[in-house]
């Protein structure tokens, strides 16, 4: 049970099953509580990108998560971890909002995009993730 503070007033207690209020004062804090364990689990799995000894495989801000992987197998493992965590904690990831963006050197980008699209498919909670050529954050 939680209460929301808004405009100097507190709401009544209510049960939250899934999701956070868009623009709510505590929404990012609640998101952090729910997702913190997922970020730790992803880091401990040792998949995803690293810069030297630093893990940079996940970036989370507000209610968004970015997964960074250097191979399709690593991305699949990270998505499996997300699915397992979501199932364990009654969290729903919105697969229709998820996107896959591949970053490669310019001279390889067309070949890589067509190969990845035909050979590699990714899904979250059973929903196939769309490949995009441009990513807006």
């Amino acid at each position: 049970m939680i209460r929301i503070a808004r405009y100097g007033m507190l709401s009544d207690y209510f049960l939250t099953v899934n999701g956070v209020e868009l623009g709510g004062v505590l929404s990012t804090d609640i998101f952090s509580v729910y997702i913190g364990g997922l970020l730790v689990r992803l880091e401990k799995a040792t998949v995803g990108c690293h810069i030297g000894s630093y893990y940079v495989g996940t970036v989370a801000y507000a209610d968004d998560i970015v997964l960074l992987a250097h191979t399709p197998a690593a991305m699949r493992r990270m998505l499996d971890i997300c699915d397992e965590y979501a199932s364990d904690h009654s969290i729903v990831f919105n697969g229709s909002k998820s996107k896959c963006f591949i970053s490669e050197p310019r001279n390889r980008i067309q070949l890589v995009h067509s190969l990845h699209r035909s050979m590699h498919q990714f899904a979250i909670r059973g929903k196939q993730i769309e490949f995009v050529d441009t990513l807006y954050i």
Side-chain angles (χ1 to χ4, degrees), residues 97-103 109-110 113 117 130-137:
K97 284 185 163 182
S98 299
K99 306 293 181 221
C100 182
F101 177 78
I102 299 171
S103 176
I109 201 151
Q110 289 299 344
H113 276 270
R117 288 181 181 173
E130 174 188 5
F131 279 86
V132 295
D133 294 322
T134 306
L135 189 61
Y136 298 99
I137 299 176

Side-chain angles (χ1 to χ4, degrees), residues 87-129:
S87 179
D88 293 347
H89 295 87
S90 300
I91 296 172
V92 176
F93 291 111
N94 190 341
S96 62
K97 284 185 163 182
S98 299
K99 306 293 181 221
C100 182
F101 177 78
I102 299 171
S103 176
E104 290 284 337
R106 289 180 192 254
N107 60 347
R108 293 185 54 208
I109 201 151
Q110 289 299 344
L111 173 64
V112 168
H113 276 270
S114 61
L115 283 174
H116 278 284
R117 288 181 181 173
S118 62
M119 295 172 51
H120 304 293
Q121 297 299 318
F122 302 107
I124 187 76
R125 302 296 293 182
K127 173 78 175 156
Q128 187 171 324
I129 298 173

Side-chain angles (χ1 to χ4, degrees), residues 31 34-35 37-43 45 47 55 57-60 64-68 74-95 98 123-126 129:
F31 176 77
Y34 272 93
I35 298 303
L38 172 61
L39 301 178
V40 169
R41 193 179 290 188
L42 285 163
E43 183 174 0
V47 293
Y55 177 73
T58 55
V59 179
D64 295 317
I65 300 173
V66 176
L67 303 178
L68 303 169
M75 180 57 70
R76 273 197 201 87
R77 180 65 188 125
M78 293 174 80
L79 290 167
D80 287 345
I81 291 167
C82 289
D83 274 342
E84 293 163 9
Y85 189 86
S87 179
D88 293 347
H89 295 87
S90 300
I91 296 172
V92 176
F93 291 111
N94 190 341
S98 299
I124 187 76
R125 302 296 293 182
I129 298 173

Side-chain angles (χ1 to χ4, degrees), residues 24-46:
V25 175
L26 293 177
S27 294
T28 55
D29 293 330
I30 293 169
F31 176 77
S32 295
V33 168
Y34 272 93
I35 298 303
L38 172 61
L39 301 178
V40 169
R41 193 179 290 188
L42 285 163
E43 183 174 0
K44 286 184 177 181
T46 68

